[in-house]
Amino acid sequence: IYFQGFRVDLTVKYSKIRGQVGVYPIKLFYTSNIPIILQTALVSNLYFFSQLLYKRFKASMLVNMVGQWQEEPTFGQSVPVGGLVYYLSPPRSFAEIFGDPFHALIYVVFVLVSCAYFSKMWIDVSGTSARDVAKQLKDQQMMMPGYRDSDLPKVLNRYIPTAAAFGGACIGALTIAADFLGAVGSGTGILLAVTIIYQFFEQICKERDQGAVLF
């Protein structure tokens, strides 16, 4: 919740209404929880296919390189114990982190890089890139004081890709911290719950303010 407050406010004004000035906020979590959703989907699919292949082709060297699985005696769940999926899975305790620091390092690098990449990719797919935002502002007859309309994409490009990539990495870092600290549930689940609840809270506040203006 604390990190949700980090943002850069860019001053904008209406080109046809003199004196009316507003702000366009660029938040640190510019793409919200999308990076961790995409990263989780990627890993989940990899887990699924790895388990399926390992059950049928245990003797295959290629399948073993992708992932080796073992059932836990306590809960009866299959957990990765070797191969690529093992290094992409979070360490389950501090003992595992100190026992195999290479595993922890690869997991941290993978989550940070994948979240940053998915976040930067999402702005181009979802229409929230610097070019798309500049077009939206132009369509709404808004401009930035001191800049021409043709300069808007360049100005926004200084902030939006950086906010997307860095925000995605921060989302990944928060997930890693929750996993390493042994939070109840998974770090991803907690992060998704918090961000969704916070978005609802922001929407309620926005609608309340709009209602206050109307009445």
Side-chain angles (χ1 to χ4, degrees):
I1 293 174
Y2 176 72
F3 283 101
Q4 292 275 5
F6 284 74
R7 68 182 192 180
V8 174
D9 290 330
L10 300 180
T11 304
V12 293
K13 68 177 184 179
Y14 286 94
S15 55
K16 292 189 176 181
I17 304 176
R18 186 172 295 180
Q20 188 156 353
V21 179
V23 293
Y24 183 82
I26 298 176
K27 296 181 179 181
L28 174 63
F29 293 162
Y30 186 71
T31 52
S32 187
N33 51 19
I34 294 297
I36 200 64
I37 291 174
L38 295 176
Q39 190 265 347
T40 304
L42 172 67
V43 174
S44 297
N45 282 304
L46 188 60
Y47 281 7
F48 172 74
F49 286 112
S50 175
Q51 273 185 285
L52 197 64
L53 290 170
Y54 187 72
K55 284 179 181 178
R56 298 196 175 203
F57 309 105
K58 278 188 181 181
S60 171
M61 186 180 71
L62 183 61
V63 170
N64 279 273
M65 286 175 64
V66 174
Q68 299 169 24
W69 296 80
Q70 182 181 332
E71 281 195 8
E72 276 190 336
T74 311
F75 301 105
Q77 292 180 335
S78 294
V79 293
V81 292
L84 177 64
V85 293
Y86 167 72
Y87 289 102
L88 301 186
S89 63
R92 288 170 290 172
S93 64
F94 278 105
E96 280 195 17
I97 294 172
F98 293 119
D100 192 356
F102 188 62
H103 171 204
L105 178 64
I106 289 181
Y107 170 71
V108 168
V109 171
F110 168 70
V111 172
L112 293 180
V113 171
S114 60
C115 284
Y117 171 75
F118 281 133
S119 185
K120 205 165 182 183
M121 180 193 72
W122 184 253
I123 62 174
D124 294 321
V125 174
S126 62
T128 52
S129 65
R131 184 179 64 255
D132 297 317
V133 172
K135 186 177 182 301
Q136 290 169 14
L137 292 175
K138 191 176 179 181
D139 291 342
Q140 293 171 10
Q141 298 181 341
M142 300 182 81
M143 58 179 289
M144 288 186 186
Y147 297 99
R148 293 179 295 179
D149 287 346
S150 58
D151 294 331
L152 277 182
K154 292 179 183 177
V155 177
L156 292 168
N157 214 37
R158 296 176 195 167
Y159 302 97
I160 289 177
T162 305
F166 187 64
C170 287
I171 287 278
L174 290 172
T175 303
I176 292 167
D179 284 333
F180 281 4
L181 292 172
V184 178
S186 66
T188 303
I190 293 169
L191 190 62
L192 287 174
V194 171
T195 51
I196 290 169
I197 291 169
Y198 190 80
Q199 284 171 2
F200 273 117
F201 172 73
E202 281 188 323
Q203 188 67 29
I204 291 168
C205 290
K206 187 177 179 181
E207 290 179 1
R208 185 191 64 189
D209 292 341
Q210 287 176 348
V213 170
L214 289 173
F215 297 104

